[in-house]
């Protein structure tokens, strides 16, 4: 990708419950935080990106933040919107359509007491899939459980395998003072937690949290004029997967297509990646994306994550060193932003010392938005420390 | 199992699909098949998702299928089975398996369609575990 774009600012909101702040105010706070992190101001921003979590979308948010921009993008693909915004921002910067791009996410499902995973989320009645799915009460959790059940049937994946993903996340979260769940758990804890949607148990599920995050991208000359470590956008990929007219195959995700696109653009292979942030709405989400991104063969995800292989310091592929969505936060029920922020911390050497990957220079951030069991969009981002 | 707000005819925004709703009200499960490429698909739309031709027939489904994957949603007062069933015609559809113990369903279970009329709930097709194959006349006479 040339000319290059750099992540110059990253900020994660410290709150996990924000009943006294509006979603719009949270967007402002994360924007201000990321710009301050970059050493830039609101007046420097000439490109703005937000998704459906931003109340009123681009129309309201640009007005509210009082930005003067020449590039706007409201690409909405659920939780994968943000790595895809980074990809689109990098393209816009390369094309000369903006110099400094601001991407914000915020939400407060916890304060609003949303049953994010266990209640049916009504969509638009004009959605073409609506009358053929909503009558069956397809709660979010169920649409991931269907994939887990099939994966176990087809590949012999076990509940204990999935539990190792939670164990790794919780092992990391104990070092994150902002994480919602900081107590490490064992495989026995996970498989002993109540069954919610077979084969997924309570501890296979992510948290419901308020909060948000923001990323600032800039073109190379600007990035090099700033004092922060230089994190270059090296490769991006985006892909959709759906029910395909009835040709349903629940054994893979859209990461099977977005991943190879990102690796090809970056000119690297999965074996080169030193740290990976992987979207973790549920444990199965991680396992399937690891396979699809090529960190192991299809069907081998269970044995790959076993025995602490995702734990920083001991495992082959340290993942979600902030505790991820499983233990840290899941602002707006969307994971792609926080995945990128922790990857940036790793590349800057600013992760918690207990989980920092030594000399981390190549990292991947993987987001997924929508529903694994029906339709979703994957966004893969590979970044390199210069 | 029905959620609040599902009482209205959810096919109303899709006038081009009225044949499917009318079929359900008659107790018939209709599935779309493309007359150009011959493939059945799911869910209905006014074109073929494979060849994008517009010659679609709403044909009466055979009514049988096999469970491709299933889960029991236990976070509610009355646990229910959410499943993908692969129809004998080929396409797989999201549905519920009803009429049996939620733990009796397995991947590979044979199921039969149960058409629900749209009087008090959304018109839709759920499935029930297929009864065991009938004994042959030879066995009956034995």
């Amino acid at each position: 990708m040339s000319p290059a774009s750099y992540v110059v600012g990253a900020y994660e909101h410290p709150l996990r419950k924000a009943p006294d702040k509006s979603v719009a105010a949270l967007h402002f706070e994360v924007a201000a935080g990321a710009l301050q992190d970059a050493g830039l101001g609101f007046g420097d921003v000439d490109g703005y990106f937000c998704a459906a979590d931003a109340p009123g979308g681009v129309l309201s948010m640009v007005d509210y933040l009082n930005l003067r921009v020449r590039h706007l993008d409201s690409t909405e693909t659920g939780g994968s919107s943000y790595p895809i915004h980074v990809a689109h921002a990098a393209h816009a910067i390369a094309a000369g359509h903006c110099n400094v791009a601001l991407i914000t996410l915020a939400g407060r499902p916890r304060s609003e007491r949303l049953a994010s995973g266990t209640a049916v989320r009504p969509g638009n009645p004009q959605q073409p899939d609506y009358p053929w799915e909503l009558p069956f009460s397809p709660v979010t959790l169920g649409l991931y459980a269907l994939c887990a059940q099939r994966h176990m049937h087809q590949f012999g994946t076990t509940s204990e395998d999935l539990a190792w993903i939670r164990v790794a996340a919780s092992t990391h979260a104990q070092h994150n003072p902002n994480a919602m769940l900081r107590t490490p758990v064992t495989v026995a804890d996970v498989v002993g937690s109540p069954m919610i949607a077979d084969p997924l148990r309570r501890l296979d599920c992510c948290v419901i949290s308020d909060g948000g995050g923001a990323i600032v991208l800039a073109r190379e000359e600007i990035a090099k004029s700033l004092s922060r470590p230089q994190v270059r956008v090296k490769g991006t990929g985006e892909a959709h997967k759906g029910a395909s007219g009835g040709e349903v195959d629940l054994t893979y995700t859209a990461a099977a297509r977005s991943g190879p696109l990102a690796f090809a653009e970056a000119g690297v292979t999965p074996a080169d990646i030193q740290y990976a942030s992987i979207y973790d709405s549920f444990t199965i989400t991680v396992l399937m994306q690891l396979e699809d991104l090529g960190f192991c063969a299809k069907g081998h995800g269970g044995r790959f994550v076993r025995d602490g292989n995702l734990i920083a310091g001991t495992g082959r592929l340290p993942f979600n060193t902030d505790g991820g969505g499983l233990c840290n936060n899941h602002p707006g029920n969307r994971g792609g932003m926080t995945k990128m922020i922790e990857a940036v911390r790793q590349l800057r050497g600013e992760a918690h010392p207990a989980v920092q990957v030594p000399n981390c220079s190549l990292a991947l951030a993987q987001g997924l938005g929508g529903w694994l069991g029906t339709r979703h969009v994957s966004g893969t981002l590979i970044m390199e420390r210069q | 199992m029905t959620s609040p707000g599902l009482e209205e005819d959810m096919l109303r925004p899709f006038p081009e699909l009225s044949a499917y709703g009318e079929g359900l009200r008659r107790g018939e499960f209709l599935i779309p098949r493309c007359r150009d490429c011959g493939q059945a698909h799911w869910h209905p739309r006014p074109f073929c998702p494979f060849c994008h031709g517009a010659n679609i027939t709403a044909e009466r489904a055979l009514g049988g299928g096999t469970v491709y994957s299933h889960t029991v949603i236990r976070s509610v007062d009355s646990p229910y089975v959410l499943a993908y069933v692969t129809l004998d015609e080929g396409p797989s559809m999201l549905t519920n398996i009803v009429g049996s113990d939620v733990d009796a369903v397995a991947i590979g279970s044979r199921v039969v369609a149960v058409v629900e009329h749209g009087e008090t709930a959304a018109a839709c097709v759920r499935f029930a575990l297929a009864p065991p194959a009938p004994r042959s006349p030879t066995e009956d006479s034995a």
Side-chain angles (χ1 to χ4, degrees):
Chain A
M1 186 179 293
S2 178
S5 294
Y6 289 73
V7 177
V8 295
Y11 180 78
E12 180 185 35
H13 204 287
L15 290 183
R16 300 295 177 261
K17 192 168 189 181
D20 301 325
K21 293 176 191 290
S22 69
V23 173
L26 291 169
H27 273 270
F28 162 72
E29 291 186 6
V30 296
L35 287 166
Q36 185 179 24
D37 178 60
L40 294 168
F42 281 93
D44 296 312
V45 175
D46 62 353
Y48 179 67
F49 296 69
C50 67
D53 57 280
V58 153
L59 275 174
S60 288
M61 292 311 296
V62 171
D63 193 23
Y64 178 68
L65 298 172
N66 201 19
L67 300 173
R68 191 170 175 83
V69 293
R70 58 189 177 112
H71 188 87
L72 296 164
D73 186 330
S74 54
T75 298
E76 163 56 27
T77 63
S80 60
S81 301
Y82 318 96
I84 289 176
H85 289 166
V86 166
H88 294 184
H91 300 154
I93 288 168
H97 293 170
C98 63
N99 293 320
V100 174
L102 169 66
I103 306 165
T104 63
L105 153 80
R108 30 174 253 170
R110 189 176 177 201
S111 289
E112 288 157 15
R113 305 184 68 82
L114 295 184
S116 310
T118 52
V120 174
R121 291 195 223 171
N124 174 351
Q126 303 211 38
Q127 239 171 267
D129 38 76
Y130 193 88
W132 312 105
E133 293 176 0
L134 202 67
F136 311 118
S137 298
V139 296
T140 297
L141 175 56
L143 294 175
Y144 287 77
L146 287 170
C147 298
Q149 190 86 284
R150 186 70 202 183
H151 204 280
M152 289 181 169
H153 172 81
Q154 203 154 328
F155 303 116
T157 307
T158 66
S159 293
E160 286 74 13
D161 294 338
L162 294 180
W164 272 109
I165 295 167
R166 177 62 175 240
V167 168
S170 75
T171 302
H172 298 150
Q174 65 181 313
H175 305 293
N176 181 351
N178 293 327
M180 272 181 71
L181 303 175
R182 298 188 61 197
T183 307
V185 300
T186 64
V187 168
D189 292 334
V190 182
V191 300
S193 65
M195 190 74 87
I196 309 290
D198 311 41
L200 298 180
R201 296 173 163 86
R202 186 178 299 282
L203 293 185
D204 287 303
C205 307
C206 67
V207 299
I208 297 172
S209 84
D210 301 343
I215 289 274
V216 179
L217 268 83
R219 67 184 168 92
E220 186 160 18
E221 303 90 293
I222 296 170
K224 291 193 167 163
S225 73
L226 300 170
S227 57
R228 305 293 281 134
Q230 286 163 24
V231 173
R232 189 164 79 93
V233 175
K234 197 170 172 67
T236 65
E238 59 189 88
H240 178 279
K241 177 176 181 274
S244 305
E247 293 186 333
V248 174
D249 182 344
L250 298 183
T251 62
Y252 72 98
T253 74
R257 288 172 52 223
S258 69
L261 291 170
F263 281 113
E265 188 173 55
V268 300
T269 69
D272 300 320
I273 299 294
Q274 295 167 278
Y275 166 81
S277 283
I278 308 286
Y279 179 53
D280 53 346
S281 51
F282 304 97
T283 51
I284 184 65
T285 322
V286 176
L287 186 126
M288 288 175 62
Q289 290 172 102
L290 286 171
E291 294 175 346
D292 294 334
L293 291 168
F295 289 110
C296 62
K298 176 50 66 181
H300 291 203
R303 68 193 78 164
F304 183 79
V305 303
R306 245 173 249 166
D307 303 324
N309 201 34
L310 301 178
I311 297 175
T314 54
R316 187 143 51 100
L317 183 69
F319 106 120
N320 297 7
T321 41
D322 59 341
L326 289 169
C327 298
N328 177 19
N329 63 346
H330 193 216
N333 298 320
R334 290 159 173 253
M337 176 63 78
T338 45
K339 295 292 151 294
M340 296 191 294
I341 292 171
E342 181 66 3
V344 169
R345 286 194 196 102
Q346 282 286 354
L347 290 168
R348 288 172 168 180
E350 295 174 355
H352 189 282
V355 295
Q356 175 66 50
V357 174
N359 304 313
C360 185
S361 63
L362 193 66
L364 177 145
Q366 167 64 28
L368 202 135
W371 295 269
L372 213 57
T374 50
R375 57 198 64 79
H376 60 269
V377 168
S378 169
T380 307
L381 171 63
I382 296 170
M383 296 178 284
E384 186 175 45
R385 165 79 177 264
Q386 297 294 287
Chain B
M1 185 181 304
T2 50
S3 307
L6 295 186
E7 289 76 12
E8 83 268 32
D9 179 2
M10 289 201 294
L11 281 174
R12 191 178 300 143
F14 304 90
E16 71 277 10
L17 303 180
S18 59
Y20 298 91
E22 287 159 15
L24 290 172
R25 280 187 285 277
R26 289 194 306 270
E28 289 180 10
F29 173 24
L30 302 178
I31 68 166
R33 185 181 295 280
C34 175
R35 283 200 299 256
D36 292 338
C37 73
Q39 280 212 72
H41 59 267
W42 191 256
H43 55 77
R45 61 202 89 188
F47 58 92
C48 170
F50 305 120
C51 75
H52 295 91
N55 294 312
I56 305 298
T57 305
E59 69 176 29
R60 188 149 189 187
L62 297 169
T66 306
V67 174
Y68 171 77
S69 193
H70 65 100
T71 181
V72 183
I73 308 298
R74 299 185 190 270
S75 56
V76 290
D77 291 337
S78 302
Y80 60 94
V81 177
L82 184 67
Y84 269 107
V85 164
T86 303
L87 304 175
D88 289 343
E89 288 86 351
S92 297
M93 64 179 278
L94 193 70
T95 187
N96 301 126
I97 311 296
V98 297
S100 54
D101 188 297
V102 292
D103 294 314
V105 180
I107 289 177
S109 294
R110 285 293 298 169
V111 291
V112 292
V114 180
V115 175
E116 300 200 349
H117 304 265
E119 300 301 331
T120 57
C124 65
V125 178
R126 295 189 164 90
F127 288 80
L129 292 177
R135 289 181 301 163
S136 69
T138 338
E139 285 173 313
D140 279 341
S141 59

